[in-house]
Every structure is written in C-alpha cells, then in structure tokens.
Amino acid sequence: MGTRSRKLIGTVLLLAFLGAYALVVASIGAGRITTATPLAQLAFFFVAGLAWVVPAGLLIRWMQRP
C-alpha cells in the first residue's frame, strides 16, 4: 500500500475515531459523571482528555511509514 493511500485511510479513520470518541466522552461527562465527587470528575476529564492521544499517535505513525 502506498503512502498516499495510507494517509487517506488514516485521515478518514482518525476523523471518525475522534468524532465517535468525543460523542462518547461528552455523553458520559454530561450524564453519569455529574453525580460523582469533584475529584472523580477531575480524574475523568483528565484521563478522557488525554486518552485519545495514544491511538491517534499510533495511527499517525502507521500513516508515516515508508
């Protein structure tokens, strides 16, 4: 598979993943987490805010492979 096709596929997958991830995290953040303690809310939003970085980084690394 060529670099251009990997970048196209990776871009589409990344956008789809980030959109789905944002919807899931926003629904959890607006629903169940509102009854949690402030420390639990802080931990949730900290982890949820950074958890997308690992899969996105792996996908970007795959896209950049020669």
Side-chain angles (χ1 to χ4, degrees), residues 13-38:
L13 286 174
L14 186 61
L15 289 174
F17 168 72
L18 288 178
Y21 182 79
L23 286 175
V24 169
V25 169
S27 66
I28 293 171
R32 304 197 77 198
I33 200 71
T34 57
T35 60
T37 64

Side-chain angles (χ1 to χ4, degrees), residues 37-63:
T37 64
L39 187 58
Q41 289 179 5
L42 177 67
F44 169 75
F45 287 113
F46 180 76
V47 170
L50 294 176
W52 64 272
V53 173
V54 174
L58 292 173
L59 186 59
I60 291 170
R61 182 181 297 163
W62 174 78
M63 289 166 52

